[in-house]
Amino acid sequence: MTKTFTLGKTERLKSRKAIEELFEKGKSFNISPIRVIYQRTAMKELQVGVGVSSKNFKKAVDRNRIKRRIREAYRLQKIPLQQLMQSRGKGMRIFLTYTGKEMPAYAVLSAAVGKCLNKLLKQLNEMSQDGGS
């Protein structure tokens, strides 16, 4: 039995250098209440990071809850993106930032993360058709 719905150590974006490069050179888009910053890489791993502004949420408990919910939504919906990247032999770094100002329900976050991943899939498919692999 394979563990397809895990979010392992290698899938987490933790390197400060990698995150800085992602924010400098990555592309981004917004799907309310989430901002997505992504960058394709040569390594064959799909890595994700999650952030919540301390300006909007003063308590670490609230920020951590939102991040946990976003990671859970991503973990359950990442399979199509992961399969596409594996089939192409490429990798990607993704950073999901919550931009809302109030505590969201899990259903809202799950729907927003799903829309973000679908948009990423669509953009990757368009890139491959335009000749950029």
Side-chain angles (χ1 to χ4, degrees):
M1 186 170 166
T2 60
K3 293 183 179 182
T4 55
F5 289 109
T6 61
L7 188 61
K9 198 175 197 179
T10 59
E11 293 179 79
R12 294 178 188 254
L13 183 59
K14 295 190 277 186
S15 164
R16 181 180 296 264
K17 191 183 274 188
I19 293 171
E20 286 175 359
E21 181 183 336
L22 175 63
F23 276 85
E24 287 174 15
K25 299 178 182 174
K27 298 177 183 175
S28 66
F29 61 87
N30 288 323
I31 293 183
S32 183
I34 294 179
R35 177 175 173 79
V36 179
I37 302 167
Y38 66 98
Q39 178 185 27
R40 294 176 27 168
T41 61
M43 37 183 243
K44 297 180 181 181
E45 293 174 343
L46 183 61
Q47 292 184 320
V48 67
V50 178
V52 179
S53 171
S54 59
K55 180 180 173 186
N56 295 335
F57 294 92
K58 301 297 182 196
K59 295 181 182 176
V61 173
D62 294 337
R63 293 192 302 273
N64 291 339
R65 175 172 287 154
I66 294 169
K67 289 190 283 188
R68 203 167 38 244
R69 288 177 177 176
I70 291 173
R71 277 194 297 267
E72 178 70 4
Y74 170 79
R75 181 183 74 82
L76 294 174
Q77 299 178 48
K78 70 178 179 177
I79 304 295
L81 182 62
Q82 201 172 34
Q83 290 173 342
L84 179 69
M85 298 311 286
Q86 283 177 351
S87 69
R88 294 189 180 168
K90 300 281 183 181
M92 180 179 278
R93 291 183 183 136
I94 305 168
F95 201 88
L96 305 170
T97 306
Y98 181 73
T99 57
K101 298 197 184 307
E102 65 278 337
M103 181 64 72
Y106 174 74
V108 172
L109 287 176
S110 181
V113 169
K115 288 177 186 175
C116 291
L117 293 178
N118 286 336
K119 185 166 182 173
L120 269 175
L121 278 169
K122 190 175 178 182
Q123 288 182 351
L124 287 171
N125 285 328
E126 288 172 2
M127 282 179 172
S128 68
Q129 290 173 355
D130 293 342
S133 64

